[in-house]
Amino acid sequence: MKHLLSTKGLGRAEAIGLLDIAEDMADVANREVKKLPTLRGKTVVNLFFEDSTRTRISFEAAAKRLSADVINFSAKGSSVSKGESLKDTAQTLAAMGADGVVIRHPASGAPEVLAASGWIDAGIINAGDGTHEHPTQALLDAFTIRRRLHGTASRGTGLDGVRVTIVGDVLHSRVARSNLWLLTTLGAEVTFVAPPTLLPMDMSGWPAAVGFDLDAAIAAKPDVIMMLRIQAERMNAAFFPNSREYSRRWGLDDVRFARLAPASIVMHPGPMNRGLEISSEAADSAASTVLEQVANGVSVRMAALYLLMSGDREDS
Amino acid sequence: MKHLLSTKGLGRAEAIGLLDIAEDMADVANREVKKLPTLRGKTVVNLFFEDSTRTRISFEAAAKRLSADVINFSAKGSSVSKGESLKDTAQTLAAMGADGVVIRHPASGAPEVLAASGWIDAGIINAGDGTHEHPTQALLDAFTIRRRLHGTASRGTGLDGVRVTIVGDVLHSRVARSNLWLLTTLGAEVTFVAPPTLLPMDMSGWPAAVGFDLDAAIAAKPDVIMMLRIQAERMNAAFFPNSREYSRRWGLDDVRFARLAPASIVMHPGPMNRGLEISSEAADSAASTVLEQVANGVSVRMAALYLLMSGDREDS
Amino acid sequence: MKHLLSTKGLGRAEAIGLLDIAEDMADVANREVKKLPTLRGKTVVNLFFEDSTRTRISFEAAAKRLSADVINFSAKGSSVSKGESLKDTAQTLAAMGADGVVIRHPASGAPEVLAASGWIDAGIINAGDGTHEHPTQALLDAFTIRRRLHGTASRGTGLDGVRVTIVGDVLHSRVARSNLWLLTTLGAEVTFVAPPTLLPMDMSGWPAAVGFDLDAAIAAKPDVIMMLRIQAERMNAAFFPNSREYSRRWGLDDVRFARLAPASIVMHPGPMNRGLEISSEAADSAASTVLEQVANGVSVRMAALYLLMSGDREDS
């Protein structure tokens, strides 16, 4: 693997291969010394054009566990904020010897521009670009589902026939998009449930069922229900009446949670708005995978950094 | 030791044990390679809900000298500032594999909530919570006094009979509180000197003498005089008339400094307001321990991280 | 070498010695594991009183490649911004065990004050002070010129007879000053070209020719043309009419670029304002050394950190 830019472009074998390596990485977390020497002498730059402490420290922990050096580059207050082009920033990082770049950017497509440009030879990982993709989030979600379903015997398997319902602000969510592509590639069936104002106008080509009624979706007994985070800043943007109304119609409250099938799992990418899109009872239940998702995030990011930065990196 | 939350709950033997380990750590600073492999593969998270560069870099230096990986998590601009609960933050750090959490928080008691919660199994160190406690500051102060009194032969000893006068804004000072509990546990006698408006209304249960007259306190020839930092933001809060008046009545100026006993020591937690609570002559004198306090701070924090994060960590 | 504060005080042999060590460091960048154990157990503090992400991460990469621990101390939001003196900050860093301090400061002369003070024993590197000096920038520029001229056979050589034209805001540029002293020490001939309003009133003692006409300067076929960055904040300061006028008269546009001698090189310290002081064609041409300057910056800073912090550090 040369870059990790999207899940849309990820083949099934490649995706399963990455998840299998993440299983190996998860084992490292149980060792007394949780460090591998794999990336010693390599430098990972966290190039964040948007604040995201959770994602940044997950990548930072993953890189350090592989013995890489980490340099945090926040675009705020830097020459980038003074109008330096992405090209000049990228070439500068390349010249400084960056072996991997984890990029978070408000513009959809920025990581692909970076990877296609030839400005930098380093492996590029998309850590969230606009409303486009957030591939490591989808990979950690798939990893989490696979582990819940198959346990440690999950190596080599996909998610064939698993029914996943994703609920909330699909319109603005790169998490929803990345999950759609990856989960369907792995054989799962995806249903989106959202208010009409929070769905894209044109969903042609999206291999997803769509519904507007969360109660009906729950009555269909999905294997997985994934609640998306509501961004507070959308609240005043006329996408829905108010937070109480949203919670009443599209939140996973205690009543809806009780109607889920006993074996189904509840996911959330975090950070959660408890009481808005998800109740505390649901979030803290045995069905919830919220914290497993965080832990698996480090393993999946270790796998991605390993594939992109170790000597075994492929040329295409 | 499982957590280090306060000095109020610290027993005498436990406190002396920590100071003795800090003596060992201080020896490391004199080696050619100032690094111990003790915490290799462990991760320390500096979780700072308030800015405090001095305290953060002291813990960062201590952790790195023990070969731990350090991740700085400033709550500003993070999901925490968007309203994520302390519970969700803590569980996230736990899931990422944090072995130790150094927490600075504006709310008194937040570190104890964290430690008691079960949200995270990591060792918790309180790096200052509201007006409550700042235990590593008190430990480094006690360490500094002990070294000045007994030199390198101080291992195993307390501070029995040492008379310590603490001057300034006791009302808002977690440093004053942490010192009161630790110093009396170690056998010292503590006197607070402050304007009446800068003392708590209810000091019942505080094992301290109280005075309002700094000249009288100095005439009593204390072994140690500790000047507290005046926060500029209190100045306009009607706690005292103005900075000139404060300095005239409760500052350690050159005249008062000259009246101290020759063997007495002058302490300040830093950063100092020179010319306000302390004169430059006092701050830079041979009696001053201000810089020893900083150096000892790294040793004491190494000892605390070692006790909480090495394999020998106790369960209670 | 004890400190690196300016190029004005740097002797020819000393400068060539540093450039030769930087050649060795550049070789490290080609190794599989780009790390030397040289500074293991040493701590470098990046003490930045002004934001400068590029310079900070260049020093950070250099220090980590030498296995030093790096602590970033941004003065924003710290006690420094609350009025702590440089003296107290420096003594605090010394007490914490800093072995090297990389300082960026808005006040000209601050690094020299620090080095002369005795407040801290660590090696001090000036990473830019006001309009005074930025010595590692000049050293990386000299290194870049030397490599272009002599290739890998450049060890031990100076820049005798090389003709360098520096164009732009000389008045405010520490890069121009540091280059002037170093390049002339190494035997080069320096010409400044600038609008009269962007030249110092008094240039007596400056070993530089001065011109106001960029076309005439280019007609003289310099070996090197170095374009200075225009600070956007100067634009409204009545130093020149507007950016279009500036670009027309003092920018390296495509027409001027085409008139340069085929073997001449184009330099810029970055970040560039493309289309203002330099055209994209010039910036991205084979004559441009912009990215080599960045890469060489890491090597030169490794050499400086090595000279100041390794066991071989001289006492004067």
Side-chain angles (χ1 to χ4, degrees), chain A residues 15-293:
Chain A
I16 291 176
L18 192 150
L19 298 184
D20 289 352
I21 292 173
E23 285 286 351
D24 299 335
M25 296 301 177
D27 292 339
V28 175
N30 298 320
R31 308 192 328 173
E32 173 62 20
V33 173
K34 292 178 287 190
K35 256 182 128 101
L36 292 175
T38 318
L39 298 184
R40 220 178 79 77
K42 306 281 188 189
T43 300
V44 176
V45 176
N46 284 324
L47 179 59
F48 274 54
F49 293 81
E50 286 182 337
D51 280 334
S52 175
T53 303
R54 289 168 70 108
T55 303
R56 195 258 300 161
I57 67 177
S58 179
F59 274 107
E60 188 171 343
K64 287 180 171 171
R65 226 173 265 180
L66 293 169
S67 301
D69 288 321
V70 179
I71 292 182
N72 290 314
F73 185 138
S74 168
K76 285 195 178 168
S78 78
S79 52
V80 169
S81 66
K82 296 172 202 153
E84 191 186 40
S85 68
L86 183 59
K87 174 179 175 177
D88 285 330
T89 303
Q91 291 184 326
T92 297
L93 296 180
M96 284 185 191
D99 301 287
V101 174
V102 176
I103 179 172
R104 172 83 151 221
H105 203 285
S108 300
E112 283 181 0
V113 169
L114 195 60
S117 65
W119 299 327
I120 184 166
D121 186 49
I124 310 293
I125 298 182
N126 179 2
D129 62 328
T131 58
H132 177 231
E133 284 241 23
H134 191 356
T136 57
Q137 179 68 44
L139 284 159
L140 74 89
D141 289 338
F143 183 89
T144 302
I145 299 171
R146 201 177 74 157
R147 270 211 154 180
R148 278 271 179 148
L149 294 177
H150 304 299
T152 49
S154 63
R155 276 188 179 80
T157 67
L159 299 174
D160 300 287
V162 178
R163 290 178 310 121
V164 182
T165 296
I166 300 176
V167 184
D169 182 359
V170 175
L171 178 61
H172 301 99
S173 175
R174 50 198 174 205
V175 175
R177 283 167 181 74
S178 281
N179 263 298
L180 173 63
W181 308 119
L182 181 64
L183 293 176
T184 51
T185 294
L186 292 173
E189 296 162 24
V190 176
T191 301
F192 287 130
V193 176
T197 50
L198 291 177
L199 283 170
M201 299 275 276
D202 179 8
M203 293 180 69
S204 59
W206 288 35
V210 173
F212 308 111
D213 182 340
L214 181 53
D215 292 305
I218 284 174
K221 305 288 178 194
D223 300 301
V224 176
I225 187 160
M226 183 186 296
M227 307 309 296
L228 300 173
R229 174 177 169 78
I230 288 297
Q231 307 288 339
E233 56 269 31
R234 311 272 184 232
M235 279 291 166
N236 306 312
F239 289 114
F240 46 87
N242 58 52
S243 62
R244 204 167 139 188
E245 172 75 1
Y246 182 86
S247 178
R248 198 179 63 75
R249 296 196 53 188
W250 291 283
L252 185 63
D253 59 20
D254 294 352
V255 174
R256 290 191 180 107
F257 173 61
R259 288 187 197 137
L260 287 170
S264 67
I265 65 177
V266 173
M267 306 185 77
H268 191 293
M272 296 179 284
N273 297 299
R274 288 166 179 265
L276 178 49
E277 72 261 7
I278 191 168
S279 74
S280 276
E281 191 178 318
D284 299 333
S285 69
S288 166
T289 62
V290 173
L291 297 175
E292 289 162 50
Q293 289 169 270

Side-chain angles (χ1 to χ4, degrees), chain A residues 40-43 45 67 69-74 76-79 82-85 87-89 91-93 95-99 311, chain C residues 32-35 51-58 60-61 64-65 67 76 229 231 270-274 284 291-292 294-296 298:
Chain A
R40 220 178 79 77
K42 306 281 188 189
T43 300
V45 176
S67 301
D69 288 321
V70 179
I71 292 182
N72 290 314
F73 185 138
S74 168
K76 285 195 178 168
S78 78
S79 52
K82 296 172 202 153
E84 191 186 40
S85 68
K87 174 179 175 177
D88 285 330
T89 303
Q91 291 184 326
T92 297
L93 296 180
M96 284 185 191
D99 301 287
Chain C
E32 173 61 21
V33 173
K34 291 178 287 189
K35 254 181 129 100
D51 280 334
S52 176
T53 303
R54 289 168 70 106
T55 303
R56 195 259 299 162
I57 67 177
S58 179
E60 189 171 344
K64 287 180 171 171
R65 225 173 265 181
S67 301
K76 285 195 179 168
R229 175 176 168 79
Q231 308 288 339
M272 295 180 285
N273 296 299
R274 288 166 179 264
D284 300 332
L291 298 175
E292 288 162 52
V294 175
N296 294 339
V298 178

Side-chain angles (χ1 to χ4, degrees), chain B residues 101-161:
Chain B
V101 174
V102 176
I103 179 173
R104 173 84 150 219
H105 203 285
S108 300
E112 284 181 359
V113 169
L114 194 60
S117 65
W119 299 327
I120 183 166
D121 187 48
I124 310 294
I125 298 182
N126 178 2
D129 63 327
T131 57
H132 176 230
E133 285 240 23
H134 191 356
T136 56
Q137 178 69 43
L139 284 159
L140 73 89
D141 289 338
F143 183 90
T144 302
I145 299 171
R146 201 176 75 157
R147 270 211 154 178
R148 278 269 179 149
L149 294 176
H150 304 300
T152 50
S154 64
R155 277 189 178 78
T157 67
L159 298 173
D160 301 287

Side-chain angles (χ1 to χ4, degrees), chain A residues 32-35 51 53-54 56-58 60-61 64-65 229 271-272 274 284 291 294-295 298, chain B residues 40-42 69-74 77-79 82 84 87-88 91-93 95-97 99:
Chain A
E32 173 62 20
V33 173
K34 292 178 287 190
K35 256 182 128 101
D51 280 334
T53 303
R54 289 168 70 108
R56 195 258 300 161
I57 67 177
S58 179
E60 188 171 343
K64 287 180 171 171
R65 226 173 265 180
R229 174 177 169 78
M272 296 179 284
R274 288 166 179 265
D284 299 333
L291 297 175
V294 174
V298 178
Chain B
R40 220 179 79 77
K42 306 281 187 188
D69 289 322
V70 178
I71 292 181
N72 290 315
F73 184 137
S74 169
S78 77
S79 52
K82 295 172 202 153
E84 190 186 41
K87 175 179 174 176
D88 285 328
Q91 290 184 327
T92 297
L93 296 180
M96 283 187 191
D99 302 287

Side-chain angles (χ1 to χ4, degrees), chain B residues 1 38 50-51 66 81 92 97 111 125 141 145 149 208 226 233 238 242 267 272 297 306-307 309-310:
Chain B
M1 194 177 290
T38 318
E50 286 181 338
D51 280 334
L66 293 168
S81 66
T92 297
I125 298 182
D141 289 338
I145 299 171
L149 294 176
M226 184 186 294
E233 55 269 33
N242 58 53
M267 307 185 78
M272 296 180 285
Y306 169 79
L307 283 168
M309 293 175 60
S310 73

